[in-house]
Amino acid sequence: EIREDYEYSEPDKLKKIKKLRREHNFDAVMPDRETLRKKLLGAWTGRAVGCLLGKPVEGIRSEQLIPLLKETGNYPMHRYIMSSDITDEVCSHYSFFLKNKPYGDNTDGMPVDDATNYTVLYQQLIEEAGRGFDSEDVATAWLKYQSALSYFTAERVAYVNLINCIESPATAIYKNVCREWVGAQIRGDYFGYINPGEPEEAAEMAYNDARLSHIKNGIYGEMFISAMIATAAVTSDIESIILGGLYEIPESSRLNECVLEVLNGYKNGVSKSDTFAMIHNKFDEQTSHGWCHTISNAMVVAASLLYGEGDFAKSICMAVETGFDTDCNGATVGSVLGMAFGSLAIPEYWKKPINDKIHTSIFGVGTVKISECAKKTLQHIAQKENG
């Protein structure tokens, strides 16, 4: 039950969500097909790059991450963490496990990770179920293509609920204490990719996915990111991109309030360090709930986009070095900027370890080529254009 004096209105039904939105108008320029191809290639690549940057330190807390970066000559962060950085002496200084991780100098392609698995999986979803998919189609894809061990937090609970014949949206609620955590927020990129300039349609697809495992701000997080990416296809203005995402979620939600706090602070001259300190003060990264919540990580994404000012490397490094969910936030920031500025805006240094490949744990899919994924994305965009 929601107490009578609760100041937020956060419905789970799409019709009610839409009634609580604001309108957002911005200068949009629809790219030609070749420019769009480069944007999609940038989005796919940027997601993989940002994910790899944050993957080896996923789960670390700031009190160990910052000293580690300083000790290895990488603070402020400006490059991949390398396996050559991780000597026995360095490891002895930290309780966080650092050995045998994928680093920028010991991997060939993006290693298996849930943050990139979902992007590939949902391309497969659209291929099989079409653009009009529903939550049941998502559930079928989850059960068909991955084991329970490929899912985490809210998604794993929902997966177990599906196995026990519980249907959505109850899958998001039953025994699911993680239902407003960041899991859905990392799942919606592909819906942004296939809806360039159509943030509302991207957000609706994200809703149909998110409701399987999340409620309230957990749902809004995926809608927000999907709509941002759809907006980034037609404008490179960072503020417009963020507003393009916010205006697909309830104005009366905590997520909207907190992301606007970051945006307004930036516009009013609040420093980068003060903004990230504010996020850490608002959410305690020492607790799983604070560290893994949708809102804390959405604030990190928004701040990194704003203070990174369109610079790809600066932005993804900012998203990782502040802590919280490092690989997820690096991936999301990389995806947004890759879409906004295209593949040519990603320096070759960052692309090299990815080598045009994403390794997945998806049954029957395995490793995919990013360039081929971008081509397939164009085909899924054309499905709408062709009716």
Side-chain angles (χ1 to χ4, degrees):
E1 294 293 331
I2 298 174
R3 67 177 189 266
E4 290 184 5
D5 63 341
Y6 191 62
E7 59 187 300
Y8 303 100
S9 179
E10 297 173 332
D12 296 329
K13 301 292 186 181
L14 186 59
K15 286 184 178 180
K16 292 184 178 179
I17 291 172
K18 287 188 172 185
K19 287 180 180 179
L20 295 174
R21 299 176 304 172
R22 292 164 294 175
E23 290 192 9
H24 173 47
N25 298 309
F26 58 94
D27 293 329
V29 178
M30 186 61 68
D32 58 46
R33 186 175 178 83
E34 177 58 20
T35 301
L36 182 57
R37 185 191 68 80
K38 291 176 181 176
K39 282 175 167 283
L40 293 169
L41 183 60
W44 277 95
T45 303
R47 182 156 191 79
V49 166
C51 191
L52 178 59
L53 179 66
K55 186 173 177 63
V57 288
E58 180 186 12
I60 199 171
R61 294 333 195 232
S62 297
E63 71 271 11
Q64 293 196 61
L65 175 57
I66 301 304
L68 171 65
L69 294 176
K70 288 180 176 179
E71 184 173 2
T72 55
N74 193 13
Y75 188 82
M77 199 175 199
H78 57 276
R79 60 171 175 82
Y80 285 115
I81 303 172
M82 301 295 190
S83 62
S84 56
D85 294 326
I86 310 303
T87 64
D88 290 340
E89 180 180 0
V90 167
C91 289
S92 69
H93 299 159
Y94 308 96
S95 60
F96 184 80
F97 185 73
L98 292 165
K99 286 285 191 180
N100 302 317
K101 297 285 188 76
Y103 291 104
D105 58 346
N106 68 354
T107 185
D108 179 29
M110 175 60 215
V112 173
D113 190 275
D114 58 330
T116 45
N117 270 352
Y118 285 119
T119 318
V120 178
L121 178 62
Y122 289 165
Q123 182 164 79
Q124 191 74 16
L125 169 70
I126 299 299
E127 186 72 6
E128 295 184 5
R131 295 176 61 95
F133 73 91
D134 59 22
S135 301
E136 295 308 311
D137 294 318
V138 176
T140 298
W142 279 25
L143 296 172
K144 177 180 179 180
Y145 282 110
Q146 293 192 125
S147 75
L149 296 180
S150 296
Y151 301 95
F152 303 92
T153 63
E155 286 74 19
R156 187 174 294 183
V157 176
Y159 188 97
V160 171
N161 285 339
L162 287 170
I163 291 173
N164 288 325
C165 299
I166 296 171
E167 298 181 351
S168 64
T171 44
I173 300 170
Y174 184 66
K175 294 186 177 181
N176 196 346
V177 298
C178 310
R179 56 190 180 263
E180 285 193 273
W181 287 15
V182 75
Q185 190 160 277
I186 68 171
R187 293 181 355 221
D189 290 54
Y190 196 67
F191 308 132
Y193 295 176
I194 63 174
N195 288 293
E198 299 288 346
E200 182 174 16
E201 190 160 351
E204 287 185 16
M205 289 186 179
Y207 171 83
N208 286 333
D209 173 55
R211 68 192 292 269
L212 189 63
S213 55
H214 285 71
I215 66 168
K216 299 184 179 182
N217 295 277
I219 293 174
Y220 310 154
E222 183 169 349
M223 296 176 73
F224 169 59
I225 298 300
S226 300
M228 272 209 300
I229 292 172
T231 304
V234 294
T235 180
S236 59
D237 179 73
I238 300 299
E239 182 178 341
S240 291
I241 290 169
I242 292 173
L243 290 175
L246 284 182
Y247 289 177
E248 294 303 327
I249 68 172
E251 184 179 10
S252 54
S253 66
R254 287 165 285 154
L255 177 59
N256 177 77
E257 178 184 78
C258 288
V259 173
L260 275 183
E261 184 177 1
V262 172
L263 176 58
N264 291 332
Y266 172 79
K267 293 168 65 176
N268 291 327
V270 176
S271 69
K272 179 190 83 170
S273 59
D274 284 348
T275 293
F276 282 107
M278 176 270 291
I279 297 171
H280 277 272
N281 287 333
K282 191 179 287 286
F283 290 90
D284 183 4
E285 67 168 332
Q286 300 301 326
T287 68
S288 296
H289 190 70
W291 179 86
C292 206
H293 203 279
T294 290
I295 298 175
S296 55
N297 289 287
M299 292 175 79
V300 170
V301 167
S304 300
L305 289 170
L306 289 164
Y307 289 94
E309 298 178 323
D311 184 297
F312 180 84
K314 183 179 176 183
S315 301
I316 61 171
C317 287
M318 206 176 291
V320 170
E321 73 180 15
T322 193
F324 290 97
D325 200 336
T326 53
D327 65 326
C328 291
N329 295 335
T332 299
V333 170
S335 186
V336 171
L337 292 178
M339 178 66 90
F341 298 102
S343 58
L344 295 180
I346 304 175
E348 192 60 35
Y349 165 83
W350 296 101
K351 298 176 185 176
K352 187 175 180 181
I354 302 301
N355 196 22
D356 195 35
K357 288 185 286 190
I358 296 175
H359 302 291
T360 79
S361 59
I362 302 170
F363 304 146
V365 175
T367 299
V368 297
K369 291 179 70 69
I370 291 175
S371 53
E372 292 300 319
C373 289
K375 290 180 183 177
K376 178 67 71 174
T377 308
L378 280 171
Q379 295 174 21
H380 290 165
I381 293 170
Q383 285 182 7
K384 179 181 181 181
E385 296 171 351
N386 296 334

